[in-house]
Amino acid sequence: MHETELHDLSDDADYAASVEQASASVMLTRTESGSRSFPSEPEGAELIYSKDNVTIHPTQFASERISGRLKLAKQGDSVFMTWSPYKGQRSNARLSEKDRNLYTIRAVPFSDVRSIRRHTPTLGWQYIIIVMSSGLAFPPLYFYNGGVKEFFATLKQHVLIVRSLEDANVFLVNDFQNPLQRTLSSLEMPGAVSMGSALSIPDSGSPLASLTDGGKNSAVLSQSIFRNWQKAQDPGRDLSINVLEKFSLVTKFARDTTTQLFRENSNGFAALDPKNYGIPRPRLDAPYQEEQEKKKVPEETHVPADPIEFDKLALVWGQPRQSPLGPIEWASFLDSEGRIMDSKALRKRVFYGGVEHTIRKEVWAFLLGYHDYESTYAEREYLKTSKRTEYMTIKQQWQSISPEQAKRFTKFRERKGLIDKDVVRTDRSLPFYEGDNNPNVKTLRDILLTYSFYNFDLGYCQGMSDLLSPILYVMEDESESFWCFVELMERLGPNFNRDQSGIHAQLFALSKLVELLDAPLHDYFQPRECLNYFFCFRWILIQFKREFEYEQIMFLWEVLWTRHLSEHLHLYLCVAILKRYRDKIMGEQMDFDTLLKFINELSGHIELDPFLRDAEALCIYAGENGAASIPPGTPPSLPIENESSLLYSQDDEVL
């Protein structure tokens, strides 16, 4: 199902190769030069630490790992770190010598380092992550031969390192020459992080430096720094946008790795919470704040470890997202008559990259089942014509209802009233639907009313307009949007059953998946009456529609519609999100009400690509056990035939 090297965390051959490369590199270094320093080290620097077989994993492929030598060197009062890949590494991977050299770390001074994250798993290799004060982070450095403890022991002899109060695995680095900076650092003032930002402490003689004379104007200085820090710093953007923009200059592989590392150990509300990476925050009126925090924050609670080391799982099993499928590549999937030659390959391609918006209209018709993969151009044109006629026939059924008939047709009046209320508040901020008397809003209403007659048993329920809106936006045709919506509702219709049987089936499957993939989290939910997983209700009902931006939701849906790995990838996505926030959920001892509020507040704060990669990794990891946890016929699987007649059974007195 997947390549062997994708799940290889401790490849003996790979380790042996790195040892051999280390020996060869040592010989090469000794023969080329009597000096003990790399060319990238500062001239005349003293070598204080050296470690072989320190490795970077640019991708999840074992064959593309890059082994090298990590060094610490001291010159005067400054300490520098270098890492250089071994020359002549034997590899069958796509990485060339030039690609490997892109990862070289050249004489990074620790005055430019903000923090170091240490990770020492029970199984697997120890590694560290170096985060710069500018926000840039280097890929994780894996110590194949151990040595993380020695690395920190050496560093502590030459650089001021303080363990973070927020996270015991984060070490704040403060290598300051200016006494004022050291003082600000101890107070966790923003001035402590000055390298690479607009907040460096001014040299003596500058206008602001005079404020520090004798410390008598320190309050003025603190306020000035804080104001500047507020203007210059946006921690969320710093970590999610600036960092990735800067790191993209290095290489695509590094960007993939960086995306993963910034989601690691997310213990706060936002996955990119700066406190997890040792970013100091301003603390004004500290005694009062501490007193208030003692009242609000519960005592620290022990959180059981993740049983499957989730942080590593996505790196090993989940593949990075690709660029979207474009028109030229899309055409290559079609034969001369318009048939899809390899539907499995197409679905896999969409799964990993999505679709460019210019061809979404064509591709979605296949993914949703409106067009058959074997159909020709001519057959599809004929289908469009015949289906348009059928649509108009159904639409005329409700259009022909006279006012007198409507007075005696309670269900029609009530359904029409619900639809009229919902469509005017569905995605109205989108230009496609904004403004008064927008024809697209009217089309949305007409399609929903027509569907309520097409599927009279199910009718209309709140949330359907959310599912239809992106389809109409993409298809831009009333009839085709209707029939694509019909195909979608064949799978998601049970979500709107009056007895909520479709939702309950998915929530039950979700509970089984959490029990399989994170038993401690599942056990935590049990005594808190959370095992019904109703806090995930909205995610499942409308397929995360209100959790992401519009463009993101279109990408997510087309990924889900491929059914490439599973028809129930959305459930694995639920598990992925819960696992990413498990430490916060259990650490803060959230009960059902608190958890529901927390989940709702995640809307707009979930980064889609990393979580999709997590969901993929969990799905592959769970394998047959995961599939067995989901009962047959659970939406969005097509209903079991002998139950199809009961699928939309409704009580007569309820719409």
Side-chain angles (χ1 to χ4, degrees):
M1 182 179 180
H2 28 267
E3 299 173 75
T4 313
E5 61 180 358
L6 286 180
H7 54 83
D8 181 12
L9 274 178
S10 55
D11 189 339
D12 292 338
D14 181 57
Y15 171 79
S18 71
V19 173
E20 185 178 342
Q21 291 156 7
S23 301
S25 180
V26 169
M27 295 298 296
L28 184 63
T29 304
R30 287 176 178 171
T31 56
E32 285 182 349
S33 171
S35 172
R36 301 197 317 175
S37 63
F38 276 72
S40 56
E41 293 175 6
E43 187 176 349
E46 174 192 359
L47 182 65
I48 58 176
Y49 174 88
S50 179
K51 189 67 180 177
D52 281 310
N53 298 324
V54 178
T55 304
I56 287 176
H57 298 177
T59 72
Q60 70 270 30
F61 296 100
S63 61
E64 295 183 353
R65 295 169 186 166
I66 308 172
S67 295
R69 182 178 296 120
L70 179 68
K71 288 189 172 187
L72 297 178
K74 187 174 183 180
Q75 186 179 51
D77 293 328
S78 299
V79 177
F80 299 85
M81 182 187 76
T82 66
W83 180 88
S84 297
Y86 297 138
K87 295 182 179 180
Q89 296 190 52
R90 295 197 301 271
S91 174
N92 60 356
R94 299 184 298 272
L95 291 180
S96 64
E97 189 78 24
K98 183 178 180 181
D99 290 330
R100 288 193 290 271
N101 288 334
L102 287 174
Y103 289 91
T104 300
I105 301 174
R106 303 180 184 278
V108 173
F110 275 88
S111 57
D112 286 354
V113 174
R114 169 180 293 160
S115 64
I116 306 172
R117 171 172 285 279
R118 178 191 64 186
H119 195 82
T120 54
T122 305
L123 298 175
W125 298 306
Q126 300 179 354
Y127 64 88
I128 61 172
I129 298 171
I130 307 294
V131 181
M132 307 299 289
S133 58
S134 62
L136 182 147
F138 291 103
L141 296 169
Y142 290 83
F143 287 67
Y144 278 14
N145 289 350
V148 170
K149 185 176 180 180
E150 292 78 2
F151 172 83
F152 278 99
T154 303
L155 199 57
K156 286 179 180 178
Q157 296 177 26
H158 305 277
V159 178
L160 177 62
I161 299 179
V162 181
R163 189 188 293 268
S164 170
L165 297 177
E166 304 283 357
D167 190 331
N169 287 315
V170 170
F171 295 84
L172 307 181
V173 180
N174 303 291
D175 186 18
F176 304 125
Q177 303 303 316
N178 190 307
L180 175 62
Q181 283 188 297
R182 188 182 297 274
T183 302
L184 291 174
S185 173
S186 66
L187 295 174
E188 297 186 23
M189 290 296 291
V193 183
S194 62
M195 307 307 294
S197 73
L199 297 175
S200 56
I201 301 299
D203 297 329
S204 59
S206 70
L208 185 56
S210 62
L211 294 175
T212 68
D213 185 23
K216 57 186 178 182
N217 289 308
S218 59
V220 178
L221 173 63
S222 298
Q223 292 175 5
S224 175
I225 291 175
F226 182 50
R227 284 195 298 270
N228 290 334
W229 183 83
Q230 283 183 310
K231 294 177 182 179
Q233 287 285 102
D234 180 353
R237 187 182 190 280
D238 183 34
L239 286 173
S240 62
I241 300 176
N242 283 346
V243 174
L244 297 182
E245 285 175 351
K246 293 173 183 176
F247 213 70
S248 66
L249 300 177
V250 181
T251 175
K252 176 183 181 296
F253 303 119
R255 185 168 65 252
D256 294 335
T257 305
T258 305
T259 302
Q260 191 65 30
L261 72 91
F262 275 125
R263 293 183 290 105
E264 180 177 331
N265 287 330
S266 67
N267 299 320
F269 165 71
L272 299 174
D273 193 335
K275 71 181 182 183
N276 296 326
Y277 298 94
I279 302 174
R281 292 179 173 180
R283 299 184 64 187
L284 302 179
D285 203 7
Y288 173 77
Q289 285 189 351
E290 290 177 1
E291 182 181 349
Q292 296 302 310
E293 287 171 2
K294 288 179 181 177
K295 294 179 181 179
K296 294 180 180 179
V297 180
E299 293 183 5
E300 186 176 350
T301 305
H302 171 70
V303 177
D306 190 330
I308 61 174
E309 291 198 80
F310 187 47
D311 290 330
K312 280 188 176 180
L313 193 68
L315 280 173
V316 178
W317 297 86
Q319 294 187 28
R321 300 296 102 184
Q322 301 173 8
S323 58
L325 176 71
I328 297 176
E329 189 179 0
W330 161 242
S332 69
F333 282 97
L334 304 170
D335 66 15
S336 58
E337 294 185 334
R339 299 182 186 88
I340 304 294
M341 294 181 288
D342 190 342
S343 61
K344 184 177 180 180
L346 173 64
R347 288 186 289 109
K348 182 178 180 179
R349 176 66 180 85
V350 174
F351 179 87
Y352 285 110
V355 181
E356 285 187 12
H357 190 72
T358 54
I359 59 170
R360 272 198 170 117
K361 179 175 182 177
E362 297 177 72
V363 179
W364 278 24
F366 287 98
L367 296 178
L368 285 166
Y370 175 48
H371 290 319
D372 191 277
Y373 287 108
E374 301 292 327
S375 64
T376 64
Y377 292 125
E379 290 169 341
R380 293 197 287 273
E381 284 302 316
Y382 176 79
L383 180 70
K384 289 179 184 178
T385 301
S386 61
K387 284 294 187 181
R388 183 169 285 107
T389 301
E390 184 179 354
Y391 171 74
M392 292 307 301
T393 300
I394 302 169
K395 183 177 179 179
Q396 287 170 3
Q397 292 176 9
W398 63 264
Q399 285 182 324
S400 63
I401 296 176
S402 67
E404 289 299 315
Q405 283 180 292
K407 289 179 182 179
R408 298 167 177 81
F409 198 165
T410 303
K411 280 198 173 182
F412 171 71
R413 292 198 314 272
E414 292 179 345
R415 287 177 176 176
K416 182 176 179 295
L418 284 173
I419 292 171
D420 286 341
K421 289 178 181 178
D422 282 354
V423 296
V424 295
R425 56 191 181 195
T426 300
D427 297 325
R428 295 308 297 275
S429 61
L430 196 72
F432 187 77
Y433 291 112
E434 71 180 359
D436 297 332
N437 302 316
N438 188 312
N440 296 319
V441 176
K442 180 181 181 301
T443 302
L444 193 71
R445 165 187 174 272
D446 289 356
I447 293 174
L448 291 170
L449 270 170
T450 305
Y451 182 79
S452 73
F453 270 70
Y454 173 82
N455 189 345
F456 202 80
D457 286 340
L458 183 61
Y460 175 80
C461 299
Q462 192 172 32
M464 290 184 181
S465 60
D466 282 287
L467 296 177
L468 175 59
S469 169
I471 294 177
L472 178 58
Y473 174 77
V474 168
M475 304 306 293
E476 295 183 312
D477 179 271
E478 185 172 342
S479 172
E480 291 184 57
S481 297
F482 172 82
W483 292 112
C484 284
F485 182 67
V486 166
E487 294 294 339
L488 179 64
M489 293 303 293
E490 285 297 303
R491 293 183 176 274
L492 298 185
N495 284 6
F496 301 95
N497 281 356
R498 298 303 172 190
D499 61 1
Q500 297 184 345
S501 57
I503 290 291
H504 282 299
Q506 292 169 83
L507 292 176
F508 173 78
L510 176 59
S511 71
K512 291 299 181 184
L513 289 176
V514 174
E515 185 177 16
L516 173 68
L517 295 167
D518 198 336
L521 180 60
H522 182 80
D523 293 342
Y524 170 84
F525 287 148
Q526 188 167 3
R528 293 165 178 80
E529 300 181 352
C530 295
L531 284 184
N532 55 23
Y533 286 82
F534 272 169
F535 46 86
C536 299
F537 187 95
R538 187 176 70 185
W539 290 353
I540 292 175
L541 179 70
I542 52 177
Q543 302 284 280
F544 297 92
K545 170 63 163 44
R546 298 183 186 177
E547 317 310 317
F548 299 102
E549 297 294 330
Y550 210 75
E551 179 63 33
Q552 287 184 311
I553 205 63
M554 291 189 289
F555 169 65
L556 172 61
W557 283 6
E558 61 201 14
V559 168
L560 297 178
W561 295 342
T562 65
R563 300 185 287 281
H564 169 58
L565 293 177
S566 169
E567 290 185 307
H568 302 96
L569 189 71
H570 70 298
L571 297 181
Y572 289 97
L573 183 57
C574 293
V575 178
I577 297 172
L578 292 176
K579 284 180 72 64
R580 276 294 164 198
Y581 293 102
R582 69 189 301 277
D583 288 357
K584 183 175 180 65
I585 292 170
M586 291 191 281
E588 297 185 6
Q589 297 183 307
M590 294 185 184
D591 57 14
F592 179 83
D593 293 337
T594 309
L595 184 57
L596 180 63
K597 180 177 183 293
F598 171 72
I599 293 296
N600 287 337
E601 289 175 347
L602 282 180
S603 177
H605 295 275
I606 305 173
E607 192 177 355
L608 179 57
D609 282 0
F611 280 103
L612 265 180
R613 189 170 177 176
D614 291 345
E616 176 196 359
L618 288 169
C619 183
I620 296 174
Y621 178 86
E624 294 181 356
N625 292 329
S629 301
I630 305 173
T634 299
S637 296
L638 289 174
I640 300 174
E641 288 186 11
N642 60 5
E643 295 180 358
S644 60
S645 60
L646 303 176
L647 183 62
Y648 301 118
S649 59
Q650 311 284 355
D651 295 330
D652 287 341
E653 72 243 24
V654 184
L655 279 178

